[in-house]
């Protein structure tokens, strides 16, 4: 162990729920998009599920809102090191969209893409079973543009770069295809509990 | 490291191709390994920011604009990790420099500003990410605020050290002259913008369309690659000004603090 002289860190009441190498951001919710925030009106937002599905489907915001409401209340973890506890997102479970489009048996992975063209790849198993949402509310208010409004993907059990802002669709594939950060040196899956930050972790 | 190749034609392409492509490929094996680093020098830049020079014998070299991850370890095994932009250019010296703000209550920046002294050993991994990198090939328009100037200064230093002729201009915003990091090093490529207090004869105010208009009215051949670094509010402000002045959105790279 390479101890740093004179470094003690904070008091050691380790916060349960904090993945390795993360710190508690408290009330902050940093904005970390690498591109210009798009001016995307709620009326112009659409969400498509395509690729290896029985029936490609597209929803607008009112169509998406007509699906059964579902909320996530819990923690989120950013690869840059901060975690935020007790965050509440309101929207619809991604299962509701996938059930409508019916993934083919050959579908194993997905590329989630943004209205900006940003992409992130995910195993399909990380997007099903009540572990992923399309969210348009944060703490009961409409999601702000900087945080991905009108609507974003929320996959809270993975590092948050996977939770595509201004989400435009999911393309289901029979193989893994690296997304934007994954092509820029980041880990293909991004599990914070295994500290999968960069390729090779 | 090489220029990013075009993706194979079979790859899925989203219907909107708006996102900014990466600049360089990153070697995952190099980025993955923690390496010992020894602090060799501390230089004060402003009342709140200092530069920390580190000897990293195993440093693989970096491209200006890249960052690293840094780790401090307590006696009981507790570790704290942070990402910091590299301030130095890729000079092959076996040393790298970081410039850190002293964040109130910050466990890592607090250690650097209050405890650290030459000879101390820490660990680093990197360089990381190929997105905000500038290899020195395209004309560069750099917009920074506060310590957002740090990765941009790596580009300026690289430009000077290699005697590059590709155009490079920097606009850097600071509250006042005493808070302008690297003030002594800034040259004719840089226009400082003072938001609260300015030296006599210089205006006080935010970065504005008037600062960008002359640069974007007559862009260099091939156009500018814009790099924006600072707080989220600065990044939003500066990127909107760039878009309004005609800079293509896919040629604006943003690094926000967080």
């Amino acid at each position: 162990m390479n101890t740093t002289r004179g470094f003690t860190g904070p008091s050691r009441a380790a916060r349960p729920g904090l993945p390795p190498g993360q710190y508690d951001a408290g009330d902050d919710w940093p904005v970390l998009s690498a591109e210009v925030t798009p001016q995307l009106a709620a009326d112009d937002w659409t969400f498509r599920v395509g690729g290896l599905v029985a029936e490609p489907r597209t929803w607008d915001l009112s169509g998406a809102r007509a699906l059964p409401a579902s909320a996530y209340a819990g923690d989120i973890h950013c690869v840059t090191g901060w975690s935020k506890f007790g965050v509440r997102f309101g929207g619809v479970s991604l299962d509701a969209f996938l059930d409508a489009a019916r993934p083919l048996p050959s579908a194993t992975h997905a590329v989630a893409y943004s209205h900006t063209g940003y992409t992130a790849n995910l195993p399909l198993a990380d997007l099903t079973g009540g572990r992923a949402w399309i969210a348009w509310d944060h703490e009961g208010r409409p999601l702000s543009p900087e945080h991905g409004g009108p609507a974003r993907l929320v996959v809270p059990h993975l590092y948050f770069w996977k939770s595509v802002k201004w989400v435009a669709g999911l393309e289901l594939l029979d193989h893994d295809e690296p997304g934007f950060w994954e092509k820029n040196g980041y880990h293909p899956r991004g599990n914070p509990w295994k500290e999968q930050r960069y390729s090779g972790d | 490291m090489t220029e990013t190749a075009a993706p194979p034609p079979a790859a899925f392409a989203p219907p909107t191709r708006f996102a900014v492509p990466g600049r360089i490929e990153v070697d995952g094996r190099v980025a993955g390994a923690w390496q010992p680093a020894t602090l060799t020098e501390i230089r004060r830049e402003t009342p709140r920011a200092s530069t920390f020079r580190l000897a990293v014998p195993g440093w693989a070299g970096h491209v200006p604009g890249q960052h690293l991850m840094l780790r401090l370890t307590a006696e009981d095994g507790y570790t704290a990790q942070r990402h910091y932009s590299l301030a130095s250019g890729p000079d092959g010296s076996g040393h790298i420099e970081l410039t850190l703000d002293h964040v109130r209550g910050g466990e890592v920046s607090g250690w650097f500003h209050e405890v650290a002294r030459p000879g101390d050993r820490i660990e680093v991994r990197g360089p990381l990410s190929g997105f905000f990198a500038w290899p020195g090939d395209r004309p560069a328009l750099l917009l920074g605020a506060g310590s957002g100037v740090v990765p941009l200064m790596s580009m300026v230093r690289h430009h000077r050290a290699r005697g590059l002729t590709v155009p490079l201009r920097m606009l850097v915003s600071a509250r006042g002259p005493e808070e302008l990091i690297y003030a002594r090093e800034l040259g004719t490529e840089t226009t400082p913008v003072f938001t609260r207090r300015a030296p006599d004869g210089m205006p006080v105010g935010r970065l504005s369309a008037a600062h960008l208009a002359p640069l974007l009215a007559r862009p260099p051949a091939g156009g500018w690659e814009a790099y924006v670094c600072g707080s989220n509010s600065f990044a939003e402000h500066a990127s909107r000004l760039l878009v309004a002045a005609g800079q293509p959105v896919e040629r604006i790279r943003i690094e926000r603090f967080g």
Side-chain angles (χ1 to χ4, degrees):
Chain A
M1 187 170 74
N2 297 303
T3 305
T4 311
R5 181 193 62 80
F7 176 68
T8 53
S11 65
R12 216 57 98 245
R15 174 131 202 192
L18 196 62
Q22 296 290 105
Y23 63 93
D24 182 355
D27 293 333
D28 289 344
W29 187 12
V31 174
L32 284 170
S33 20
E35 53 193 344
V36 179
T37 300
Q39 308 293 309
L40 181 64
D43 286 346
D44 295 331
W45 181 84
T46 55
F47 178 66
R48 181 176 196 271
V49 179
L52 298 174
V53 294
E55 186 185 352
R57 293 281 304 270
T58 302
W59 290 263
D60 61 12
L61 197 55
S62 61
R65 283 180 181 279
L67 296 169
S70 177
Y72 171 73
D75 311 332
I76 58 175
H77 312 289
C78 177
V79 68
T80 63
W82 56 265
S83 291
K84 188 167 170 58
F85 290 96
V87 184
R88 297 166 59 88
F89 288 107
V92 167
S93 169
L94 199 57
D95 292 309
F97 297 93
L98 289 167
D99 288 349
R102 288 177 284 132
L104 299 179
S106 56
T108 57
H109 291 79
V111 173
Y113 56 96
S114 164
H115 281 273
T116 65
Y118 174 89
T119 54
N121 54 304
L122 300 108
L124 191 53
D126 280 317
L127 294 169
T128 53
R131 299 208 290 168
W133 287 261
I134 300 298
W136 38 77
D137 283 351
H138 168 246
E139 307 299 338
R141 292 182 174 166
L143 195 59
S144 70
E146 284 155 56
H147 285 300
R152 72 181 296 163
L153 180 64
V154 173
V155 191
H157 68 284
L158 299 178
Y159 284 126
F160 222 48
W161 90 77
K162 297 286 186 179
S163 294
V164 171
K165 295 178 179 182
W166 318 295
V167 67
L170 274 187
E171 186 80 359
L172 272 59
L173 307 170
D174 60 5
H175 62 280
D176 200 9
E177 216 170 77
F180 177 74
W181 284 119
E182 295 82 2
K183 285 180 207 156
N184 274 289
Y186 285 68
H187 193 275
R189 179 148 185 261
N191 179 351
W193 298 96
K194 294 184 177 171
E195 213 173 349
Q196 294 169 337
R197 296 179 196 273
Y198 301 103
S199 62
D201 278 355
Chain B
M1 294 172 185
T2 55
E3 193 75 16
T4 303
F12 166 71
T16 37
R17 303 298 299 276
F18 187 82
V20 188
R23 290 307 321 275
I24 56 164
E25 299 283 359
V26 174
D27 186 333
R29 290 162 304 172
V30 168
W34 286 104
Q35 303 177 54
T38 305
L39 190 57
T40 60
E41 185 189 346
I42 302 174
R43 298 198 304 273
R44 182 160 289 284
E45 301 283 358
T46 72
R48 282 186 65 221
S50 290
T51 291
F52 299 86
R53 186 170 176 84
L54 298 159
V56 189
W59 190 248
H62 61 278
V63 174
Q66 285 193 288
H67 60 268
L68 54 63
M69 196 175 220
L70 172 157
R71 178 163 80 182
L72 307 183
T73 304
E75 291 283 351
D76 65 355
Y78 169 84
T79 59
Q81 301 178 166
R82 294 292 185 275
H83 287 88
Y84 292 113
S85 293
L86 288 145
S88 45
D91 54 16
S93 66
H95 289 71
I96 55 173
E97 292 188 354
L98 309 175
T99 301
L100 274 53
D101 268 335
H102 191 175
V103 179
R104 190 180 296 273
E107 58 174 321
V108 174
S109 79
W111 180 83
F112 272 95
H113 283 270
E114 295 163 15
V115 179
R117 64 187 185 216
D120 282 342
R121 290 164 63 83
I122 61 167
E123 292 171 289
V124 298
R125 63 181 292 198
L128 302 171
S129 184
F131 174 72
F132 202 72
W134 181 66
D137 49 355
R138 301 179 186 170
L141 178 55
L142 316 178
L143 276 60
S147 53
V149 69
V150 173
L152 310 182
M153 196 63 201
S154 175
M155 302 176 190
V156 171
R157 287 167 166 163
H158 182 58
H159 190 266
R160 286 186 195 157
R162 300 290 165 92
L164 300 178
T165 54
V166 64
L168 177 144
R169 293 297 308 274
M170 180 159 76
L171 290 157
V172 57
S173 173
R175 275 177 280 198
E178 71 288 353
E179 289 171 77
L180 182 64
I181 299 174
Y182 312 128
R184 291 180 308 276
E185 264 188 83
L186 302 176
T188 53
E189 79 289 320
T190 300
T191 305
V193 178
F194 297 110
T195 59
R196 304 267 177 86
R197 300 167 301 283
D200 286 346
M202 287 189 68
V204 173
R206 284 186 102 181
L207 179 72
S208 71
H211 291 109
L212 297 178
L215 294 165
L216 286 166
R218 285 181 303 281
W224 296 107
E225 195 76 17
Y227 293 78
V228 178
C229 188
S231 66
N232 179 57
S233 62
F234 175 80
E236 286 290 313
H237 174 67
S239 61
R240 282 194 202 123
L241 289 177
L242 283 169
V243 171
Q247 175 70 7
V249 81
E250 72 277 5
R251 298 193 63 188
I252 302 175
R253 299 166 188 278
I254 305 176
E255 188 135 294
R256 305 170 201 244
F257 298 154

